[in-house]
Amino acid sequence: MDVPIILIVALVAGILSITMALYFRYLVLKEDPGNERMQEVAGYIEEGAKTYLKIQYKFLGIFVAVLAVAMLFLPSSLDDSDTYTRLFSDALNWEQMLAYIIGAVGSMFAGWLGMYVSVKANTRAAQGCTVSTKKGFDIAFFGGSVMGLTVVGIALIGLSTLYWIVPDPMIVLGFSFGASSVALFMKCGGGIYTKTADIGADLVGKAEYDLPEDDPRNPATIADNVGDNVGDIAGMGSDLFDSYVASIIAAMMLAATLPVFVDLALDLDANARFVYTIFPIVLCGVGLLASLLGIWYIKWKGSNEPGKALNTGTYVSTILFTGLAALLTLIMVIGLTQAEAIMLWRLFGCAVIGLLAGITLGLTSDYYTRADKKPTRKIAEAAQEGHAVVVLSGISYGLLSVAPPTIGIVVAMVFAYLLGGVFGIAIAAVGMLAIVGTIVSNDAYGPIVDNARAIAEQGDLGDDIIRIADKLDSAGNTAKAITKGFAIGAANLTVFALLFSFATEAQIKAIDLLTLNVLIGAFIGVVIPAIFSALLILAVQRNAAKMVDEIRRQFESNPKILSGEEAADFSKTIDIATKGSLRELIIPTIMSVIIPIVVGVLFGVAALGAFLIGAILSGFVFAIFMANSGGSFDNAKKWIEDGNLGGKGTETHKASITGDMVGDPFKDTAGPSIDTLLVVMSLTATIFLGFLMLFGGGAGLFIF
Amino acid sequence: MDVPIILIVALVAGILSITMALYFRYLVLKEDPGNERMQEVAGYIEEGAKTYLKIQYKFLGIFVAVLAVAMLFLPSSLDDSDTYTRLFSDALNWEQMLAYIIGAVGSMFAGWLGMYVSVKANTRAAQGCTVSTKKGFDIAFFGGSVMGLTVVGIALIGLSTLYWIVPDPMIVLGFSFGASSVALFMKCGGGIYTKTADIGADLVGKAEYDLPEDDPRNPATIADNVGDNVGDIAGMGSDLFDSYVASIIAAMMLAATLPVFVDLALDLDANARFVYTIFPIVLCGVGLLASLLGIWYIKWKGSNEPGKALNTGTYVSTILFTGLAALLTLIMVIGLTQAEAIMLWRLFGCAVIGLLAGITLGLTSDYYTRADKKPTRKIAEAAQEGHAVVVLSGISYGLLSVAPPTIGIVVAMVFAYLLGGVFGIAIAAVGMLAIVGTIVSNDAYGPIVDNARAIAEQGDLGDDIIRIADKLDSAGNTAKAITKGFAIGAANLTVFALLFSFATEAQIKAIDLLTLNVLIGAFIGVVIPAIFSALLILAVQRNAAKMVDEIRRQFESNPKILSGEEAADFSKTIDIATKGSLRELIIPTIMSVIIPIVVGVLFGVAALGAFLIGAILSGFVFAIFMANSGGSFDNAKKWIEDGNLGGKGTETHKASITGDMVGDPFKDTAGPSIDTLLVVMSLTATIFLGFLMLFGGGAGLFIF
């Protein structure tokens, strides 16, 4: 097929992005890494993070290899004959499998590069704070941007090149599945790691020995800092990489079936269909350009008010994206008929709706988690009544916070549907993720300054510098809330789009809840996110208990650790976090691939569709609930630590720490992993569709 | 229509039940109410409970009156013309409205009578303990049985009489809606009341002043005891009354559309259809007889091992029910064709499957909440790591505990469907609830002995007597777990049955999740239980905070309260609990009626069906999660109080108290109220169907 020059926009944007990431990496690395002690601490963190990632990648290698082999032998739903009989036949599913491996390797590479820079940026940012706030901010923000830009760059280069070579979205779907497999490991493993260390450090250090945050005497301090990198940087990066790729590919797959899902009398020729098919990817190309400009804007503004700058950067990217996307649409309608052109403009509208919905969701999360707004204030006040009341309050507000984003998503879906049918919903997901470069950059900034603060503390840079680092840190927390709202909303719309492309691919006419197998599918789907969350939280709780025992053991066996005369044994705590998180992620990750297949085999593909919908909806509830209640617990605690309601050391403060610890695995382990779970399950359903068709022709073994 | 003699089984069983309830009431009242102090305390409890119920009933009166008027003017889906134009026409919906009022009044009467006896039985049971364990057990168990027998008796008399007069299930549906409206108020209000008092009393009394449970110096002690009566007795009674009636009526409504949903080539004549229609109600009649015999068995066995006796009673009732139901089926097949007779036997099988599923669910709850099983033991051990870890552990195990009952319900649904189609599922719900007389009796026994223990403590009966009361109390807790599993499972199957009858009534051909309005309906439905739970938990948390302030104020303003020289001001705390719970229940209860109507008006009846399914499934997750995590928090605390892991007064114990307090509103407020919410929403959908048909002919205002 003839590929128009316009696809190059995406490719060029991707290459530009990687180039800029490498340039930012250079800017970060040339900075002063600080005094010897700081370098030592940073060295520990780097080593811990790399050790973790290496072992993680070994596990991942096995997982990816097994799935790749399975994909090779399985019948592909690509099969033109519509008989799905490729099982053990001669024609192997090479293309999809290779795309899968490329996606997995790309995601691992993005995670590696992002983390490689972030563990270098932390000590440099701390040292930068000794020069000026601006300097510290710049280094941290550039460090974070490397992750953001790499993620988006690799995604766009991979997708556009693959599609250029094999212009079939079903093949490119393998790329998405690869990215998702990696993301699931990174999110679950990183999430367990970071909270194991964090909770362990807090439980003994803060609660029992009254040590301040990041105290070098606490044996779990380094593990805690490693956790920030592996959980919040590599994890969140791979999560958004995964949603980003999946949203593009879902829209591309739906484009192949146009105009079935579009409420317009269109008789598409091959050229027009191609324009619609590449629209999502090119849209992301201009989104990336908007992100790049947004990043420069933040760099330019960031010196004064870092928190405001990060959020304004998001708005700037949004406005630029709207303008650039309009320009793009203006170019792409050339050669289309009037009806087709109007349709493309309507799709442009869908993209803007999606982006606006993303921002609305982010702002809702912001409202529910900010210390100066009612929910968090009420949670802080509830801490006055003790541990149990603050927990109940945080859980309640977290559950309540599900309502506004639900309305936001429903409204966005309705309008996108009215403009562009199901395809419009898919484009809305793409629009929401178009500026993901900015989003990930803002997000990765957070753990870097968090680390910088710890290194400043441990490198004895003095209270003034720590206060500057604190200021940078709190800016990161504000950006984080918005990122999470975005990530969940985008994943939600994306999995809806994946669902529709699954249904199209499976040629499901209806998913009728009045038939028993569909109802059972939905039932199991709704239950899954609860079980999945429970497994992850339990993993954190179990590991944290081990961590607590180890920290207590170190303090008790060697009193010189507490007096500061001897260094704590950091390697033991890092080891507990590493091994624990890898062991604990096995069941949830395998579950996410096995269960959709089992549901499909037993109850058929329509039931599997219902299963996915059930999981999406209940997953949305759990993800929002956990992210927001965790965030507001955290900020309620910080608000009290700022001297409100009696401040540090009071019973109220202790209760708020309990709240924070309960919220920790909610917001940083279970909540964000659910998004990835949903994407992986949706992709599994589509990839294994050919296999499922072997059972009762897609009706499953139980036929009612 | 000619009513066969067999319907009399139900009526006679109902009358027998009420007679026995009155006899048990007599047995209880003739016992010695104990010393002056005990009578005084019991008097306070009685007065508090009655005050609450009176105000509650006033609120309820208004609510019922408003809904009754609305029903009168609304078009009824009964309308034979199928045009649904009754709105403001001359033909008013008198019959259904009257049935509604009768149902509401019946439920209120059952609640009143049950509670009237339980507040008399508590002090007598305490006094009975001074004679023998057996004596104490008998009084408490008879007291609880009054509630169980009244509930079932009124339900059966009401249903069979109404159906005798107007043999139309749609009319009788009004009766069910009346029962549900009352149940919703009783569950929400009672649930908020009991936990407001309980948490308030614990937070200040136990945690701050180290007072033991039920200490008379604690100003919230009486309110706590009142709470047990209004929440656990009147609340749980009305909840099961509601599910019981709804399950019968849902099955009866489906019978009217037979053989649509039954996978058999049946050409039913009027007689056969009538047999199927009355089968559910008559089945409950023999279930009640089985319950009566079970109650006598418990009375006979209860003296030695009260805990075991209560559970064995459930099994005895189950076996008796199976035998009696087989006998009944044997009689009812007379006059049927062979195919029809086989079908009835298959339905008998469905009833047995339902009952077995109920017991399985109960046993699962038992496993997840018993102190000698792994989950609760792990939660107790987690308390060693502090407040946050125990909370995380309890929440995780609660979420995990959703898996086994899901499998149980799915398996029951599959088998029931294979035997009797959708009608089979409805009959399984009826079967599960058939022995509800035993279940409610066991459940109501719990709060009575709980109260008895408190009265023994306050009446200075000495440690030996308190220990006997403790033994009786712990038996109650075991029975409670099973009851809850039953209640949730039964509600779940019942609302499925209601859903199918709603879909039949609305003539919905399919609820297709691939259409946007249906998807949106499901989305909103899944979110509702989360919001509803949050509102209730927040209500408890807010009220408990007020309670804490009041208790602290009393202790601080008058030191003689703490020294025991002067009595605390119980009326203030009772007042806070009463007013608070009534104020807080308004939004959740109104929500449960308004939201289904809004969804139906906006998105149509198919979307409303999806809304109900979404709510049922996510409600199931939340209900099980909250009931089980609450129960195991409670038992983990008790296990520690028994001297394990250091016992009372340790930090581990304090952490376990936090867990228990977090679990309190889960298990006794939000969790159990969800069942009722689901029933009310399902009934609202069916009752207001005629009204919804006015909007786009049932397609809603938004048509995609």
Side-chain angles (χ1 to χ4, degrees), chain A residues 203 385 511-513 537 548, chain B residues 203 385 396 511-513 548:
Chain A
L203 269 177
E385 316 291 345
I511 299 179
D512 180 9
L513 283 168
I537 298 172
V548 163
Chain B
L203 270 176
E385 318 289 346
S396 305
I511 299 180
D512 180 10
L513 283 169
V548 163

Side-chain angles (χ1 to χ4, degrees), chain B residues 360-378:
Chain B
T360 312
L361 258 64
L363 291 177
T364 316
S365 295
D366 191 42
Y367 171 79
Y368 273 96
T369 55
R370 261 169 76 150
D372 55 347
K373 301 291 177 192
K374 189 189 148 201
T376 303
R377 200 55 68 84
K378 289 275 173 194

Side-chain angles (χ1 to χ4, degrees), chain B residues 448-606:
Chain B
I448 293 175
V449 285
D450 188 315
N451 266 228
R453 194 205 165 282
I455 292 171
E457 174 109 36
Q458 293 175 72
D460 284 327
L461 292 186
D463 281 350
D464 285 351
I465 305 302
I466 291 174
R467 214 165 300 133
I468 292 174
D470 259 339
K471 192 180 161 194
L472 295 180
D473 191 13
S474 79
N477 285 324
T478 314
K480 210 171 167 180
I482 297 191
T483 310
K484 281 205 180 133
F486 241 93
I488 297 170
N492 189 262
L493 278 188
T494 300
V495 285
F496 275 125
L498 282 174
L499 172 88
F500 288 119
S501 58
F502 163 76
T504 314
E505 201 63 33
Q507 299 177 342
I508 300 171
K509 293 279 165 288
I511 299 180
D512 180 10
L513 283 169
L514 291 178
T515 58
L516 191 64
N517 52 349
V518 168
L519 190 58
I520 290 174
F523 200 160
I524 301 172
V526 167
V527 172
I528 290 300
I531 306 293
F532 183 78
S533 307
L535 289 173
L536 292 180
I537 297 171
L538 217 50
V540 169
Q541 184 251 311
R542 263 197 295 257
N543 278 333
K546 277 184 203 143
M547 190 66 95
V548 163
D549 291 343
E550 171 61 22
I551 302 172
R552 282 186 188 151
R553 190 195 63 76
Q554 290 200 22
F555 280 149
E556 281 158 21
S557 67
N558 186 0
K560 287 184 181 166
I561 293 176
L562 208 53
S563 64
E565 290 164 79
E566 283 186 20
D569 184 355
F570 300 122
S571 63
K572 278 269 169 59
T573 52
I574 289 178
D575 197 50
I576 289 173
T578 304
K579 287 191 181 147
S581 53
L582 290 169
R583 191 179 47 241
E584 298 281 4
L585 66 73
I586 296 174
I587 293 178
T589 45
I590 290 182
M591 198 174 105
S592 66
V593 176
I594 296 294
I595 291 182
I597 296 177
V598 170
V599 169
V601 167
L602 291 181
F603 302 107
V605 291

